[in-house]
Amino acid sequence: MMTKRFKKLTYIIGGGLIAAGTLVACGHSIHHAPPEKKAEYIVEEINDELNLQDAQLTKLNALKDHMLQLHKEHKVKKLQTHEELRALLDKPYLDQEAILSHIKAKTSYINEEAQQVVALLGDFYNSLDDAQREEIREHVDKFMKRHKRWRGE
């Protein structure tokens, strides 16, 4: 026969173990990892799925590295943008020209960087053989089916 105190202690220890296990399991999720770890995980998954050759892996890593660099630049520019827009709101009137100028500069930057990203992506994709390309198409189709509800379809 268990005493009340022993039962209470058992529940506390069991609950603590369950909570600790949950935290450990959730802490290892790739969704909460830094961008570098997420990118490395994605490259590993693609490499495992497509059995990439060394030259193909080098091209994929070049794309990953460029995307990570853009991410770092975007974080800095985002903070600057927020500060600039906040400063515009401090004025007694809204400077529409300044906002439009900012939007044009941002759009120009995106268009310039998109050319480099597409070139790196094309370089990687064009290095794949037909079977690897088919594998990618199948994954894209699965992704689109899974995420139809997010697009309201």
Side-chain angles (χ1 to χ4, degrees):
M1 178 178 217
M2 291 204 278
T3 65
K4 239 180 176 179
R5 186 173 182 203
F6 183 72
K7 280 184 182 180
K8 187 175 181 181
L9 186 60
T10 304
Y11 287 130
I12 290 171
I13 291 172
L17 289 174
I18 290 171
T22 303
L23 289 174
V24 168
C26 291
H28 284 61
S29 170
I30 193 65
H31 299 292
H32 303 290
E36 294 80 11
K37 286 198 184 277
K38 285 182 185 180
E40 195 57 44
Y41 173 80
I42 291 169
V43 167
E44 288 173 11
E45 286 291 310
I46 292 171
N47 187 23
D48 290 346
E49 194 68 34
L50 299 179
N51 299 317
L52 298 176
Q53 299 168 358
D54 289 341
Q56 294 170 325
L57 188 57
T58 300
K59 291 177 182 189
L60 181 59
N61 277 316
L63 176 61
K64 174 198 73 162
D65 293 341
H66 186 72
M67 294 300 291
L68 286 172
Q69 182 60 37
L70 287 177
H71 182 265
K72 287 177 186 174
E73 291 173 12
H74 174 70
K75 278 180 87 172
V76 171
K77 289 183 181 205
K78 184 171 87 170
L79 292 175
Q80 292 170 346
T81 299
H82 289 176
E83 290 170 3
E84 291 170 8
L85 292 176
R86 182 64 177 99
L88 287 172
L89 293 175
D90 286 339
K91 295 182 179 182
Y93 62 92
L94 189 62
D95 187 351
Q96 295 176 21
E97 290 300 317
I99 293 174
L100 287 174
S101 174
H102 179 75
I103 291 170
K104 287 178 186 176
K106 184 75 168 179
T107 303
S108 174
Y109 173 76
I110 290 170
N111 288 334
E112 289 170 15
E113 289 303 327
Q115 292 174 10
Q116 290 178 303
V117 170
V118 169
L120 288 168
L121 179 61
D123 194 29
F124 168 69
Y125 187 77
N126 293 338
S127 72
L128 301 175
D129 62 32
D130 291 337
Q132 290 170 322
R133 288 183 188 149
E134 181 59 31
E135 186 75 28
I136 287 178
R137 286 189 289 272
E138 289 173 7
H139 279 285
V140 168
D141 289 344
K142 285 180 189 175
F143 179 85
M144 297 299 280
K145 277 185 178 178
R146 268 195 330 253
H147 295 93
K148 266 186 169 181
R149 68 178 187 273
W150 292 354
R151 296 189 313 266
E153 294 178 17

